Amino acid sequence: MNARSSANLADISISESDGVRYLHFGTPWVQGAMRLAHPYALELDYIKNMMAWWLFLRPVATTCISQLGLGAAALSKFCLRRCAPARISVVEINPRVIQIAQDFFHFPVSHERLELFCCDAQTWLQQQPQASCQILQVDLYDAEARGPVHDSLDFYQVCREVLTEPGILVVNLFGQHQSFTRSMRHLAQVFDGRLVSLRPTAEGNTVVLAFLGPVLQVAWPVLMQRAQQLEKKTGLPATGWVKWLKKQRPGAFFMV
């Protein structure tokens, strides 16, 4: 990256290049991004993929979307703007990340539908009532950005416990790291193999969706129609998601 400006705050740094602002945790690894001309849009491909749950569940007033790991606040901002009237809970362990997201990435910390918690993600999950969250988005990486901070069997078990039925866990995994196989094994064990993986990004991120609740069965043309509507409404690459899923699961229906 040929950064033309940067601002360093302890172990966190910010850079800008070609109209995009990037967040780093003291290393060249990108932990988040925002296009300055469109601060509420999703810039990174894997972040866009983390909204793939929207193919299967529509946000309503009773929906709770929880985000573990704030980063540059892209998902949180997108959900606040696009998924109304759903409530958004955000958990971030580092107060400096929260402050930088507010100061540099337009994170609206006082939004009426937002609850913000500064604590460890697994500790927060253990304090939540069972079946209290419909969508749980997990993007927990440290400065090296190699493997997730939390990916134990116990962690995914407590994720399952807080999900409603139906509910979806969305996890960002790094397919080029040795933790990927372990994470997939733990997810499959906790969610009875009810997983789908999206196409890995060029950077190596693989977004995995784990399903809880009644078995989902939908004809591919119906799912594609839903994807086309979602893509037109939001700009998300939803038709690409369906094409990839169908390639992985040929047949008359999408089932999970």
Side-chain angles (χ1 to χ4, degrees):
M1 180 188 308
N2 295 317
R4 59 180 174 80
S5 67
S6 64
N8 293 295
L9 293 174
D11 58 339
I12 302 173
S13 62
I14 298 163
S15 64
E16 291 182 14
S17 179
D18 299 325
V20 178
R21 180 172 292 164
Y22 297 93
L23 176 68
H24 314 268
F25 291 168
T27 71
W29 291 99
V30 172
Q31 300 283 354
M34 178 187 73
R35 185 161 294 277
L36 298 175
H38 303 284
Y40 278 79
L42 299 180
E43 180 67 21
L44 300 178
D45 288 338
Y46 91 87
I47 294 288
K48 296 175 183 177
N49 287 348
M50 291 195 73
M51 290 300 302
W53 61 263
W54 211 349
L55 274 174
F56 311 104
L57 288 176
R58 297 174 183 266
V60 296
T62 56
T63 298
C64 173
I65 302 170
S66 295
Q67 173 69 35
L68 307 185
L70 177 62
L75 270 178
S76 304
K77 293 187 302 181
F78 187 87
C79 288
L80 281 169
R81 176 157 292 193
R82 293 286 194 167
C83 297
R87 296 172 294 112
I88 315 297
S89 297
V90 177
V91 182
E92 170 55 53
I93 195 171
N94 192 335
R96 293 193 298 276
V97 172
I98 296 173
Q99 188 62 54
I100 288 175
Q102 183 179 9
D103 292 346
F104 293 93
F105 293 94
H106 296 230
F107 181 45
V109 294
S110 60
H111 196 286
E112 61 183 6
R113 289 189 291 109
L114 173 72
E115 285 188 288
L116 179 61
F117 303 89
C118 185
C119 62
D120 173 72
Q122 186 160 351
T123 300
W124 181 83
L125 286 170
Q126 292 167 341
Q127 297 171 347
Q128 301 311 299
Q130 291 191 357
S132 58
C133 174
Q134 191 169 32
I135 305 296
L136 184 57
Q137 301 175 148
V138 180
D139 189 14
L140 297 170
Y141 283 80
D142 59 15
E144 294 302 320
R146 287 295 188 175
V149 173
H150 290 299
D151 76 332
S152 68
L153 198 63
D154 287 343
F155 174 74
Y156 291 128
Q157 184 60 51
V158 74
C159 286
R160 177 180 174 130
E161 289 170 0
V162 303
L163 282 175
T164 61
E165 295 189 20
I168 302 177
L169 171 68
V170 186
V171 187
N172 170 37
L173 299 179
F174 199 66
Q176 299 177 3
H177 188 257
Q178 60 185 5
S179 64
F180 181 78
T181 301
R182 180 183 66 241
S183 298
M184 290 295 290
R185 183 175 66 249
H186 289 167
L187 283 165
Q189 183 173 341
V190 171
F191 286 89
D192 304 316
R194 298 182 62 195
L195 311 176
V196 297
S197 300
L198 299 183
R199 184 195 297 271
T201 67
E203 295 75 23
N205 299 83
T206 298
V207 170
V208 179
L209 278 64
F211 293 77
L212 186 65
V215 173
L216 176 65
Q217 177 175 311
V218 57
W220 286 112
V222 175
L223 193 60
M224 179 57 78
Q225 183 180 31
R226 167 69 175 147
Q228 290 168 344
Q229 294 171 348
L230 184 61
E231 191 163 313
K232 182 178 180 180
K233 177 183 177 181
T234 66
L236 293 168
T239 57
W241 299 335
V242 174
K243 291 176 183 177
W244 174 258
L245 293 176
K246 188 174 182 180
K247 182 179 179 181
Q248 306 308 306
R249 300 185 176 202
F253 289 89
F254 171 80
M255 297 179 63
V256 69

